[in-house]
């Protein structure tokens, strides 16, 4: 069986360095908010190209904390609206609604699967305060038109960068494009921890300080709580692992880009719609390689029968989830078409040439 993603093999390639770091943390006796977290935050900020990086517990918390900070700083108030792509993982929506803000869905571009920037302005109202971008599947969504739109309506731009760390737009990395960005280091991400982990990056010193305080019980000094906060801290063990793996991220992203290029050149079945390759290949780090097929379920079963594991990202869009019954009446035809047809193929830096050939040959026989 060709696994969708062999996490064990991915992490074992850095076995010696990771084990050394784990032992170092274990023996240090310091497991929360220590030197490993500080070192990783500094390295992440340098990698992204920003002044501030704050390690947090997970990717969902990263987005939640951003909006919670904006609320506390008076930039937003409960009931305000946040523009959000209709086809995204539910975490993006949960972070908005958890802060008692209102998500306003916008359809994606069928070619890129990212939010259609040309459709944003028609959804803006006097209550709109932010645009939440999701660089879905690892592809950047950004433009000069978006920047102009945000300035015109005085909107914050927030990046959900859970899937696109290392991608660039006009030479600027995701995580440094907008006012603030959220990262997830869930084990299956391009930069994955050995458990849950996340981060926020920004050049806004005031916002960074508030997010750091909120994530630490609302405290910037022990036992002195200036604001109402939560407990959402990156721990020393995960920071130490991420410190090791960050060094290899660029190389592994490049390997993903080569695999994606091979897939696009080698798959020639007209029943299968391939993802679009951007003109600037650095704009996509291929966290997922997602094809579409009208007979998606049949294709997935066929691949499984031929020893190829695939996943669906994602089978049900947020507005049709039971958790958001108040949105179930909404209809987004492009989003719904995407969610009915998408199938994610195996892609990782360790996929072999023989495995790629097996996958493409099998797809071409479908």
């Amino acid at each position: 069986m060709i696994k969708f993603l062999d996490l064990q093999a991915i992490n074992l390639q850095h076995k010696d360095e990771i084990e050394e770091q784990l032992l170092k943390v274990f023996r240090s006796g310091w497991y929360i908010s220590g030197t490993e977290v500080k070192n990783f935050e500094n390295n992440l900020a340098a990698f992204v190209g920003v002044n501030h990086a704050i390690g947090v517990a997970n990717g969902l918390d990263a987005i939640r904390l951003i909006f919670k900070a904006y609320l506390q700083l008076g930039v937003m108030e409960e009931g305000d609206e946040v523009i959000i792509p209709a086809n995204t993982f539910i975490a993006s929506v949960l972070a908005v609604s958890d802060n008692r803000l209102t998500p306003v869905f916008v359809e994606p571009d069928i070619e890129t699967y990212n939010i259609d920037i040309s459709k944003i302005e028609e959804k803006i109202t006097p209550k709109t305060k932010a645009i939440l971008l999701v660089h879905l599947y690892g592809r950047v969504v950004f433009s000069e038109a978006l920047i102009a739109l945000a300035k015109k309506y005085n909107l914050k731009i927030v990046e959900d960068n859970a899937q696109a760390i290392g991608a660039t737009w006009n030479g600027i990395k995701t995580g440094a494009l907008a006012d603030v960005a959220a990262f997830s280091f869930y084990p299956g991400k391009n930069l994955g921890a050995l458990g849950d982990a996340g981060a926020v990056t920004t050049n806004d010193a005031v916002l960074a300080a508030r997010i750091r305080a909120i994530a630490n019980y609302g405290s910037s000094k022990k036992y002195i709580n200036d604001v109402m906060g939560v407990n959402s801290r990156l721990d020393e063990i995960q920071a130490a692992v991420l410190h090791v793996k960050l060094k290899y991220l660029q190389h592994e992203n490049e390997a993903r880009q080569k695999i994606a290029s091979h897939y696009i050149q080698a798959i020639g079945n007209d029943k299968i719609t391939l993802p679009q390759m951007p003109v600037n290949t650095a704009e996509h780090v291929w966290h997922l390689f997602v094809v579409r097929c009208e007979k998606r379920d049949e294709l997935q079963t066929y691949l499984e029968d031929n020893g190829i594991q695939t996943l669906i990202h994602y089978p049900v869009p947020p507005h049709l989830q039971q958790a958001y019954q108040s949105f179930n009446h909404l209809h987004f035809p492009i989003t719904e078409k995407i969610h009915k047809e998408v199938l994610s193929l195996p892609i990782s830096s360790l996929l072999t040439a023989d495995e790629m050939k097996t996958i493409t040959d099998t797809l071409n026989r479908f």
Side-chain angles (χ1 to χ4, degrees):
M1 172 66 73
I2 299 175
K3 293 182 179 180
F4 175 74
L5 187 65
D6 191 340
L7 285 178
Q8 184 180 38
I10 287 171
N11 288 314
L12 283 176
Q13 65 182 327
H14 310 302
K15 173 179 177 290
D16 292 342
E17 287 181 88
I18 289 175
E19 289 181 351
E20 180 182 350
Q21 287 294 96
L22 292 174
L23 186 60
K24 177 184 172 184
V25 173
F26 171 65
R27 288 178 171 172
S28 74
W30 194 290
Y31 309 119
I32 297 287
S33 302
T35 57
E36 296 300 331
V37 170
K38 290 177 184 176
N39 288 340
F40 174 68
E41 288 177 340
N42 290 337
N43 290 334
L44 178 63
F47 176 82
V48 172
V50 294
N51 294 328
H52 306 281
I54 305 102
V56 299
N58 54 68
L60 171 57
D61 275 6
I63 316 174
R64 288 174 63 230
L65 289 164
I66 289 168
F67 287 114
K68 192 175 290 293
Y70 275 139
L71 285 161
Q72 289 191 3
L73 292 169
V75 176
M76 301 175 190
E77 59 183 37
E78 290 185 8
D80 281 342
E81 297 172 353
V82 177
I83 300 291
I84 190 168
N87 67 313
T88 183
F89 182 55
I90 199 167
S92 310
V93 190
L94 289 170
V96 174
S97 59
D98 184 66
N99 281 292
R100 298 184 180 180
L101 297 167
T102 303
V104 176
F105 298 109
V106 173
E107 284 269 58
D109 180 333
I110 192 67
E111 298 297 330
T112 67
Y113 307 128
N114 278 324
I115 193 169
D116 189 335
I117 293 173
S118 70
K119 294 179 180 177
I120 291 177
E121 188 166 20
E122 64 192 51
K123 294 293 185 77
I124 294 174
T125 75
K127 297 286 285 181
T128 307
K129 294 297 170 64
I131 301 168
L132 177 59
L133 301 175
V134 179
H135 303 302
L136 197 65
Y137 306 149
R139 180 168 187 164
V140 179
V141 53
F142 211 73
S143 71
E144 295 292 347
L146 178 68
I147 296 171
L149 195 64
K151 287 181 179 178
K152 178 179 178 181
Y153 293 99
N154 192 28
L155 305 177
K156 296 296 184 183
I157 303 178
V158 179
E159 295 176 75
D160 179 342
N161 196 34
Q163 300 186 4
I165 184 170
T168 63
W169 178 82
N170 283 359
I172 304 169
K173 283 192 173 72
T174 54
L177 292 169
D179 295 285
V180 61
F183 292 71
S184 167
F185 305 121
Y186 179 79
K189 294 295 195 288
N190 291 31
L191 178 63
L194 299 186
D196 273 323
V200 175
T201 60
T202 184
N203 284 316
D204 186 332
V206 174
L207 180 64
R210 182 57 62 98
I211 290 171
R212 190 178 293 281
I214 295 171
N216 187 38
Y217 298 98
S219 172
S220 54
K221 183 179 180 182
K222 195 166 186 179
Y223 300 132
I224 304 299
N225 304 85
D226 301 313
V227 297
M228 289 187 287
V230 299
N231 176 13
S232 181
R233 298 174 298 199
L234 177 65
D235 69 63
E236 287 285 284
I237 288 177
Q238 300 303 344
V241 171
L242 291 167
H243 170 74
V244 171
K245 296 180 71 175
L246 181 59
K247 294 184 294 184
Y248 302 99
L249 176 64
Q250 184 67 30
H251 171 75
E252 293 180 5
N253 278 348
E254 289 171 359
R256 287 173 175 269
Q257 289 165 339
K258 290 177 182 177
I259 293 167
S261 179
H262 172 79
Y263 275 159
I264 288 171
Q265 293 173 20
I267 299 170
N269 188 329
D270 61 10
K271 298 180 181 67
I272 297 168
T273 301
L274 299 174
Q276 181 193 75
M277 176 69 80
V279 174
N280 182 350
T281 56
E283 291 185 10
H284 206 324
V285 291
W286 301 97
H287 170 58
L288 298 171
F289 188 94
V290 181
V291 301
R292 293 201 337 267
C293 180
E294 290 182 359
K295 297 183 178 180
R296 188 264 312 281
D297 294 343
E298 291 180 31
L299 175 59
Q300 185 175 40
T301 299
Y302 172 77
L303 291 171
E304 182 77 19
D305 291 344
N306 282 275
I308 300 167
Q309 185 183 40
T310 60
L311 293 178
I312 298 170
H313 297 89
Y314 303 95
V316 183
H319 73 280
L320 295 180
Q321 295 282 359
Q322 180 73 11
Y324 285 106
Q325 292 183 59
S326 60
F327 296 137
N328 286 175
H329 68 284
L330 299 176
H331 179 46
F332 298 104
I334 298 174
T335 293
E336 289 159 25
K337 175 181 177 62
I338 289 170
H339 284 254
K340 288 177 182 176
E341 296 182 356
V342 288
L343 187 66
S344 301
L345 304 182
I347 184 168
S348 85
S349 58
L350 298 182
L351 204 63
T352 68
D354 285 345
E355 288 173 330
M356 284 188 284
K357 187 175 189 306
T358 297
I359 291 166
T360 55
D361 287 351
T362 306
L363 284 165
N364 286 336
R365 290 195 302 269
F366 176 72

